[in-house]
Amino acid sequence: MSGPGALPPIAPPLKAALRHLRSVRGRRPGAPCTDAAYAAWRDDIAAALDDLAEHLEQPEDRAMARAEAVAARAEAERLRA
């Protein structure tokens, strides 16, 4: 699909980061699960979001991904407390 309104292709590193985040989200522990298992998954989500942020072009998108990573880590810490 090409033409005046066509979107540019997604850069391979960004595509890989998006696939990784989708893969990690797909490994969400099912119920019932322990707080430790869920906290570990939230840490994995945070790492995937940090990786994604490195490949996003827009500063607002990078900031949002990093903020979500911080929130995921905070939730993991609350679960471990």
Side-chain angles (χ1 to χ4, degrees):
M1 177 175 188
S2 63
L7 296 173
I10 297 175
L14 175 57
K15 188 180 273 191
L18 288 166
R19 283 186 177 148
H20 178 66
L21 178 59
R22 192 170 30 248
S23 171
V24 172
R25 282 188 175 152
R27 293 193 302 260
R28 180 180 182 157
C33 77
T34 65
D35 284 352
Y38 192 77
W41 176 73
R42 292 299 284 160
D43 283 333
D44 291 344
I45 286 287
L49 286 165
D50 282 337
D51 181 51
L52 176 62
E54 295 297 318
H55 302 289
L56 295 170
E57 292 183 16
Q58 299 300 316
E60 301 86 15
D61 294 337
R62 283 192 303 269
M64 187 171 20
R66 287 186 177 118
E68 288 180 28
V70 167
R73 285 190 178 95
E75 182 181 17
E77 287 303 312
R78 282 192 302 276
L79 289 168
R80 288 186 185 103

